Amino acid sequence: MNRNLLLIIAGLSLSAISCDKDFKDPVGDEMARFNAWIQVNNIPADAKKPSGLYFVSQTEGNGLSPEIGDWVLYSYTEKTLDGLVWLTDNSELIKQYDRFDINYHYTPVFVKYEKAPIQITGYSRVLLKGVFEGLGYLKEGGKATLYIPYNLAYGTTSATNGLGYQSLIYDLELLKVIKDPRAYEKSLIDNYIAQNYPGLEPINDSIYYIQLTPPTVDTVTLAKDSVAYVYYKGSFLDGFVFDTNIDSVAQKLGRNFSSTDSLKVTVGGNEVIKGFSQALINMKQGEWGRAIIPSFCGYDSIGNSNIPPFTPLIFDIYFSSKGKASTKPQ
């Protein structure tokens, strides 16, 4: 059949499906749309996997392939069939589509390769069935384009992101397979220390501490169960700030955070992570310090909504006062 005629027929078919306001058969409509798109765009038939995923290799990797139980680090761009970039770890790319979120940390995804679909801790992202399968076909350094039918994407759920009953295109790169996430994290910290604070040793084999400015009161220190008022800036090793209560920092970033008041901390209590308390014990009133905190003194292998598992953190801390209301840092 003439290619131009095929394009016209496929276009009419896609238009008819998109204009069907009754949605009596959304599954059938979407699969017809997906299959027509695959045909019009000449996606090779041999790229189709038994699941219905189309996997097209772009660059062959030469490292490990992930096995169940490994951790993986991957880069991605998620697009709808009409070419709209919906999600990506590339901040400059997402800006071109007017979907940039100033509060989101655009960085490759670090996740345990175990099952899908799952909510990826620390990223506000979902590891889709099709992406999980695609990662399994890659080796480290490999790149591929995935054409994912709706049932291997977000399925029929559209309440949160509007992508229910939608097939997707994924540009995927497997950056690294990690067998031992604790050792991998240590290598990240070691490299950071070597580049920024060569020769710095950890305190009691746990956190690293750097005094940024000396104290204003050389006699006021903290011990376990002491109450301190502090200001802080929390960031990742790449410098992205995930939290602060310092209004000047928030203003400079053009962002809003949960509080601009001092944080009341009971040293050794539950208000802050263990590494934060360890830093405070090494400080005196009026001192600015920087704590580099391994995950075993932070959120460990669990993470939270903003922080992935096995993630080292940096906290710049101002010890404002002990046991009473505090003064904001200058």
Side-chain angles (χ1 to χ4, degrees), residues 25 38 67 83 116 148 163 184 219 224 226 252 256 267 310:
D25 183 17
I38 291 292
E67 299 177 346
I148 306 176
L163 291 179
Y184 173 66
T219 57
K224 190 176 184 301
S226 298
K252 184 177 180 180
N256 293 316
V267 177
F310 299 107

Side-chain angles (χ1 to χ4, degrees), residues 2-248:
N2 181 277
R3 174 173 170 76
N4 290 331
L5 180 59
L6 177 61
L7 288 170
I8 293 170
I9 294 172
L12 290 173
S13 174
L14 291 173
S15 175
I17 291 169
S18 63
C19 292
D20 179 6
K21 299 301 183 182
D22 292 335
F23 292 104
K24 293 178 181 178
D25 183 17
V27 169
D29 286 351
E30 179 55 31
M31 288 310 300
R33 177 172 178 263
F34 179 67
N35 291 330
W37 190 96
I38 291 292
Q39 186 177 10
V40 166
N41 288 275
N42 294 316
I43 307 303
D46 60 5
K48 187 176 183 180
K49 302 297 183 180
S51 65
L53 172 73
Y54 284 78
F55 177 92
V56 178
S57 177
Q58 305 294 347
T59 302
E60 290 293 333
N62 55 13
L64 297 173
S65 287
E67 299 177 346
I68 298 300
D70 290 340
W71 289 73
V72 292
L73 183 70
Y74 68 87
S75 181
Y76 68 98
T77 295
E78 175 184 290
K79 295 179 283 189
T80 57
L81 293 185
D82 59 7
L84 173 64
V85 172
W86 204 259
L87 299 173
T88 181
D89 62 332
N90 186 328
S91 60
E92 294 306 312
L93 177 61
I94 202 73
K95 287 175 183 177
Q96 297 174 24
Y97 290 82
D98 198 28
R99 292 182 54 80
F100 178 74
D101 180 354
I102 196 171
N103 295 302
Y104 187 75
H105 187 205
Y106 291 93
T107 187
V109 170
F110 175 68
V111 66
K112 192 172 186 179
Y113 185 76
E114 191 171 37
K115 60 182 179 180
I118 59 166
Q119 188 73 34
I120 305 173
T121 302
Y123 292 91
S124 301
R125 298 287 187 263
V126 175
L127 178 57
L128 304 176
K129 288 182 179 179
V131 176
F132 181 87
E133 182 179 348
L135 286 168
Y137 298 132
L138 287 169
K139 293 180 179 180
E140 289 173 314
K143 299 179 182 179
T145 301
L146 314 180
Y147 304 97
I148 306 176
Y150 86 96
N151 59 307
L152 300 179
Y154 293 98
T156 60
T157 301
S158 59
T160 57
N161 63 10
L163 291 179
Y165 294 106
Q166 285 208 45
S167 303
L168 300 172
I169 306 167
Y170 252 83
D171 294 324
L172 191 64
E173 180 179 3
L174 179 58
L175 301 173
K176 192 170 184 63
V177 175
I178 297 108
K179 298 290 185 181
D180 184 344
R182 191 78 72 191
Y184 173 66
E185 180 194 0
K186 185 177 185 305
S187 72
L188 296 178
I189 296 173
D190 289 346
N191 289 337
Y192 181 86
I193 295 297
Q195 291 177 18
N196 295 279
Y197 305 102
L200 184 67
E201 294 293 331
I203 298 171
N204 297 327
D205 295 323
S206 56
I207 71 167
Y208 293 82
Y209 181 77
I210 304 100
Q211 185 186 77
L212 299 177
T213 62
T216 55
V217 182
D218 196 55
T219 57
V220 178
T221 59
L222 295 165
K224 190 176 184 301
D225 298 327
S226 298
V227 173
Y229 289 84
V230 300
Y231 288 88
Y232 65 90
K233 179 183 75 174
S235 59
F236 299 114
L237 294 185
D238 65 2
F240 181 85
V241 177
F242 60 83
D243 193 17
T244 185
N245 64 348
I246 304 172
D247 49 8
S248 61

